[in-house]
Amino acid sequence: MATTELIDLAVQASKNAYVPYSHFPIGAALKTKSGKIYQGCNIENASFGLTNCGERTAIFKAISEGYRDLEEIAIYGETQKPISPCGACRQSLSEYETKQQQPIPVYFMGAKGSIIRTESIKDLLPFLFDGSLL
């Protein structure tokens, strides 16, 4: 699958976002090493702490179906500039990058179409918290 297809799936996922408060849809498409794709969108709640991001929705779907080897993720937001994952999503992704000891590239894009690519989650979260600190 080409990167553009993964990004297109992230854009498509944003259409399912439930955002009655922020009106800020986010979509994500996560590819596993086996080639399976999991899409996610942000899902808001009136109790804002219960809101879930699109990236974590995709991660949780993959993990709940037994996929742990994450290969890459694309994130889309209807923003002027490419939108990067929040801290909670970075930490969630780092869990699997650390476990599989292989980088997970991240692509993020905004409505204007420019794309930023990182080589790994460590590029976004250089001093990550992992199991070695416990």
Side-chain angles (χ1 to χ4, degrees):
M1 167 177 283
T3 301
T4 55
E5 291 175 276
L6 193 64
I7 290 169
D8 288 344
L9 289 170
V11 173
Q12 180 187 59
S14 75
K15 307 298 183 217
N16 292 328
Y18 177 72
V19 291
Y21 307 105
S22 72
H23 308 287
F24 189 71
I26 300 295
L30 173 71
K31 185 171 105 177
T32 66
K33 290 190 181 186
S34 67
K36 182 115 171 102
I37 304 295
Y38 289 93
Q39 291 173 283
C41 61
N42 53 328
I43 304 165
E44 293 182 345
N45 189 290
S47 176
F48 293 129
L50 299 178
T51 295
N52 199 55
C53 299
E55 300 93 308
R56 284 183 289 139
T57 299
I59 295 164
F60 297 161
K61 286 169 69 174
I63 300 306
S64 70
E65 292 189 22
Y67 291 88
R68 305 269 191 296
D69 295 328
L70 312 182
E71 187 170 34
E72 59 186 347
I73 188 167
I75 303 154
Y76 169 79
E78 293 183 6
T79 54
Q80 293 297 313
K81 297 179 183 177
I83 190 157
S84 68
C86 74
C89 291
R90 292 173 190 213
Q91 183 63 42
S92 294
L93 283 163
S94 76
E95 176 75 13
Y96 304 99
E97 184 172 274
T98 301
K99 295 279 188 220
Q100 63 193 34
Q101 297 182 340
Q102 188 168 6
I104 299 172
V106 180
Y107 304 89
F108 36 104
M109 188 178 93
K112 296 286 186 188
S114 61
I115 299 167
I116 294 175
R117 179 185 192 272
T118 67
E119 295 296 321
S120 75
I121 304 307
K122 285 185 180 179
D123 293 340
L124 296 172
L125 190 63
F127 302 103
L128 63 91
F129 180 88
D130 66 15
S132 71
L133 299 171
L134 298 175

